[in-house]
Amino acid sequence: MRVSCMQESLARGLATVSRAVATRSTLPILSNVLLASDNGRLKLSATNLEMGINCWIGAQVEQDGLITVPARILADLVNSLPPERVDLQLIVRTNTLNLKCGRLEANIKGLDAQDFPLIIVPDEDKPVMFKAGILHQMIDQVAFAAAQDDNRPVLTGVLADLGEEMLTLAAADGYRLSVRKEPVAGGEHQTSVVIPAKALQELRRINIDAEAAVSMLVSRNRNQVFFHLDEVDLVSQLVEGSFPDYRQIVPTSFNTKTTVMTADLLSATRMAYIFARDASNMVRLQMVPAGADGIGKVVVTATSPDHGDNVSELEATIEGAPLEIAFNARYLIDILSVISSPQVTLTTRDPSSPGVFKPVDGADFVHVVMPMHIGR
């Protein structure tokens, strides 16, 4: 193999695939990145057997070939190079990658690429198609609600429920639930699978234009999901298990409906969190319907037994009965940070029932949060 490419392109490609490199594995080759010539481009691949990423970068290919080398060493080396042309050459006899950039030269010992697991995206006619910007927003609004621990593995994933014209993503960790729906093209085969939240978050980190097309395909045996972008493929194993019926978790009735500016509530919650950190992250929301002045309000409070308290009053439209309810401040910050609509509604039934957040005039999105017990 003899290939030349620009340092910036190589560094960007390595940053993309390195997220799939195995950090703790009994197979040394999984700590490596595959470099291979592919139709006049340089292909980079990495996998930890649960997730795999292919990335193609522009290159001048003088001789075809392939090699795997330690991902961390190559990435650190390339990031240290000046922004100039990088020449890569495989020394077959010693399985060594020779790298030159300007007056700099290095040799990296590699492993035979024949032992590297192939990352293959099947070529089928009817994948589900998205615009990258829409998919990014869906991931942002759902994946953070997935569980972080492995006590219930299925909750570490995101349910992808595909209908004929609609894709629903849902995630829950036992304390909160996020559900986002979006019309899609190509969803002729109805299916329901659970995708690891980490895989979706890695997909979200891939830098791509918001208008670019992204295709999604579930394997016929329903054990893998494939995402294809312009210059990147991401493949992930699916999570086994039955995801809870999220429809039964979303409350269907309420006694109080609060409409408030999203940015104002987020700012007030962030200030309250400074004091709530010393009190189990508890933030209280008091909904006060309009009085003689015709203005309703939300009073956001947090109290630290050792450091003081914080009170913020926000103008709001309150429909129904007055109510005081408490939530985990971190959960509120998480949800309010991913709502792009200027206003958000919070519907509540009583202090011990879940609160339901929805953007006003926004996407088909709903977030359910369990309240915290208010001690008197």
Side-chain angles (χ1 to χ4, degrees), residues 100-116:
K100 293 180 181 178
C101 182
R103 297 183 178 182
L104 304 173
E105 182 175 1
N107 293 290
I108 306 175
K109 294 183 178 180
L111 295 173
D112 196 325
Q114 291 184 354
D115 298 325
F116 191 84

Side-chain angles (χ1 to χ4, degrees), residues 271-276 300-312:
M271 285 189 289
Y273 181 49
I274 296 170
F275 295 91
V300 182
T301 62
T303 301
S304 165
D306 299 323
H307 299 109
D309 56 52
N310 168 258
V311 180
S312 299

Side-chain angles (χ1 to χ4, degrees), residues 255-258 286-299 316-324:
N255 294 323
T256 307
K257 180 179 179 180
T258 303
Q286 184 181 5
M287 288 67 162
V288 183
D293 58 2
I295 301 175
K297 63 182 179 180
V298 176
V299 182
T317 301
I318 312 292
E319 301 175 29
L323 176 73
E324 183 178 18

Side-chain angles (χ1 to χ4, degrees), residues 121-141:
V121 175
D123 184 15
E124 295 194 16
D125 294 335
K126 297 178 180 178
V128 181
M129 302 299 299
F130 309 87
K131 285 186 176 180
I134 294 296
L135 181 58
H136 287 173
Q137 187 182 62
M138 295 181 74
I139 294 171
D140 286 343
Q141 293 181 334

Side-chain angles (χ1 to χ4, degrees), residues 64 69 110 135 214 216 274 376:
D64 289 332
V69 294
L135 181 58
V214 179
M216 171 182 137
I274 296 170
R376 297 295 181 182

